[in-house]
Amino acid sequence: MSHNTGWGQHPGQPMPQWGGGWMPPAAPQPGVIPLQPLGTGEILSGAFAAFRRYWKPLVGIMLAVQGVGLLLVLAAIGISVAAAQSRFTAVFDLAPGEEPDGSDVAALFLAFVPAGVLLLITMTASAAMISALCPAVIQEAVLGRPTTFGAMWRRSWSRLPAALGSVLLTGLIAGGPMILLYAILFPLIIMSADGSGPPAALFLLFPGLLVCVPLSVWLMTRFSLAPAAVVCEGLGAVAALRRSSQLVKDGWWRVFGITMLAYVVAAAVGYVIQMPFGFVGMIALLPNLADANESSPDVGAIILGFVVYAVCLLVGGMIGALFQYGFPQLVIALLYVDQRMRKEDLAATLIASIAPTYPPAPASAAAPGPAPGQAPVQAQAPDQV
C-alpha cells in the first residue's frame, strides 16, 4: 500500500527530469539550503538561517508550550503543598535530636508524586511538540515560503499525537537495554547489600553499561528522523520509526556525528546567550553583598539584589534554552531532508516544483518537446501535508 512520502513524491512514481540532460549550473536555493545533498556546514548554517528567519513562530510556540506546562506543574505543586501542610510540620518542625516518623516522611513524599508525574508528562509533551514544530518549519524554510504562528501551531498540533507516539516509542526502545540491565542487576545488588547475594553483582553494572549505552545510542540515532517523517509524510508513529530506520541506514555515523555536533553548538550558543544576563545580575548583586559586611546592612537592598540576580539568570536561562531546544531539532529535520535528497533524489522534485520561478534553460540546452502522441510531463508541486 503506497503512502505519501512528502513533497509530492510517491513510491514508484518516476522522478521529474530536466529534459535533454540539462541541469542548472548551480543548485537553486530558494530557502535556507541549496537543493542538493548537503554538507555539514550547509546543514548547520541552514538551521541557523531557519531559526533566524522563522524565529517568531518557533519562539512563540515553544514559549506557549513551556508556559502552559509550567503553569500546570506549579498548580500541581501548590495543591500538593496545601494537601500535605500538616506533614511538613511533622517532618521539619521537630525538637533537637527528634527524628521524623517514617509514615510522615512517606506521606510527604507521596504527596508530591502527582506533581512529579505531571512534570514528566509535560516535559515529554513539550519535546514532542517541538519535534513536530521544527520539521514543519523546515518544510517551509527549504523552499523559502513565509509562514505564521497560527499555521505552524495548527500543523504541529495536528501531528502531535503521532509525534508523541514516535518520541515515546523511541525512548522505550532505546531505553530498553538499560531497563533490562537494571531489572536484572537491581535484585542482585539488593541481595548483595544484606550479604545473601553475590557481591560480584555490583561489579556487573559497569560492563553492563559499556554494552547497553552504545546500543541505546545506536537505537536513538536509528529512530531520530521519525518525528520529521511524521510531519512531512503524514505517517503514524510505528511507520515513522520504520521510515527513519530506512533513511538512516548506511548513514548512521553521519547522522550521529552531525546530531551530536548540533547539540554541542546549541549548548555553546546557549551559554553565550546566558552570559550577559548573568553578568548584569552580578553587577546588581555584588554591591549589596559588600554592604552586607557592614554593621547595619540594608536588608531590603540585599534582597532586591538577589531578586534581580535570580530574574536575570531565569530570563537568560529561558532564552538560551529556547535555542538549545530548537536548534538541534532543526538540524535533525534538515538531516531528514538531506537523507531523502541523497537516497531518493528529493532535490529533483523540489527543483521541479520551483522551476517556473527560475530563469528557463538556455535555448541551446532546452528540453525537446514531447514525441508525437506523448503527453507533456507536468511537474508536481510539493504537498503541504
Side-chain angles (χ1 to χ4, degrees):
M1 182 174 64
S2 65
H3 59 269
N4 190 341
T5 56
W7 281 297
Q9 190 61 34
H10 298 265
Q13 176 183 341
M15 301 298 301
Q17 300 292 330
W18 291 84
W22 179 85
M23 289 292 287
Q29 185 172 339
V32 297
I33 57 170
L35 300 182
Q36 62 183 7
L38 305 173
T40 302
E42 290 170 326
I43 291 176
L44 295 178
S45 63
F48 273 111
F51 201 100
R52 184 175 65 253
R53 294 185 191 181
Y54 299 89
W55 69 271
K56 289 183 180 180
L58 277 169
V59 172
I61 293 176
M62 285 191 286
L63 280 177
V65 170
Q66 293 180 3
V68 171
L70 180 61
L71 290 176
L72 290 175
V73 172
L74 289 177
I77 291 175
I79 294 173
S80 298
V81 169
Q85 190 171 4
S86 61
R87 301 290 184 177
F88 278 100
T89 303
V91 172
F92 297 107
D93 189 11
L94 300 173
E98 185 179 359
E99 294 292 333
D101 187 79
S103 61
D104 291 326
V105 175
L108 186 61
F109 173 77
L110 291 175
F112 285 91
V113 168
V117 173
L118 182 60
L119 175 61
L120 180 62
I121 293 173
T122 54
M123 289 177 61
T124 305
S126 297
M129 189 69 172
I130 294 172
S131 68
L133 167 65
C134 291
V137 169
I138 287 299
Q139 265 200 304
E140 308 304 321
V142 164
L143 296 179
R145 297 183 296 211
T147 189
T148 62
F149 175 96
M152 288 296 96
W153 176 269
R154 290 189 295 271
R155 183 143 170 73
S156 303
W157 183 260
S158 68
R159 301 306 302 155
L160 179 59
L164 180 60
S166 69
V167 169
L168 290 175
L169 284 176
T170 299
L172 288 174
I173 295 173
M178 299 295 297
I179 295 173
L180 180 62
L181 174 67
Y182 283 112
I184 294 174
L185 292 183
F186 187 74
L188 298 178
I189 293 174
I190 295 298
M191 289 188 295
S192 301
D194 60 12
S196 61
L202 292 171
F203 300 99
L204 293 176
L205 181 62
F206 181 69
L209 290 175
L210 290 180
V211 174
C212 293
V213 170
L215 180 57
S216 295
V217 171
W218 182 83
L219 290 169
M220 187 71 72
T221 304
R222 189 82 171 180
F223 300 131
S224 61
L225 305 185
V230 163
V231 175
C232 297
E233 304 183 33
L235 301 178
V238 176
L241 262 61
R242 288 197 295 261
R243 179 72 165 138
S244 175
S245 180
Q246 173 193 358
L247 291 173
V248 174
K249 185 180 180 181
D250 300 327
W252 187 93
W253 280 109
R254 184 169 187 276
V255 173
F256 170 76
I258 295 177
T259 301
M260 290 300 100
L261 182 59
Y263 279 104
V264 171
V265 170
V269 174
Y271 178 73
V272 171
I273 292 173
Q274 295 172 34
M275 282 181 60
F277 292 92
F279 183 71
V280 171
M282 288 300 298
I283 291 177
L285 181 61
L286 287 177
N288 296 303
L289 290 179
D291 294 340
N293 296 323
E294 298 179 358
S295 58
S296 57
D298 187 347
V299 177
I302 295 175
I303 294 175
L304 179 61
F306 275 105
V307 170
V308 172
Y309 180 66
V311 169
C312 288
L313 289 183
L314 180 63
V315 173
M318 183 177 296
I319 295 175
L322 291 174
F323 186 84
Q324 290 169 338
Y325 292 152
F327 181 78
Q329 293 301 321
L330 292 173
V331 169
I332 292 172
L334 284 174
L335 277 169
Y336 162 83
V337 176
D338 176 58
Q339 289 299 106
R340 286 198 59 189
M341 289 195 291
R342 291 174 181 273
K343 292 192 169 190
E344 301 172 357
D345 202 15
L346 176 64
T349 302
L350 299 176
I351 291 172
S353 71
I354 63 168
T357 66
Y358 275 75
S364 59
Q374 178 182 356
V377 176
Q378 299 291 333
Q380 292 189 345
D383 286 350
Q384 183 62 34
V385 180

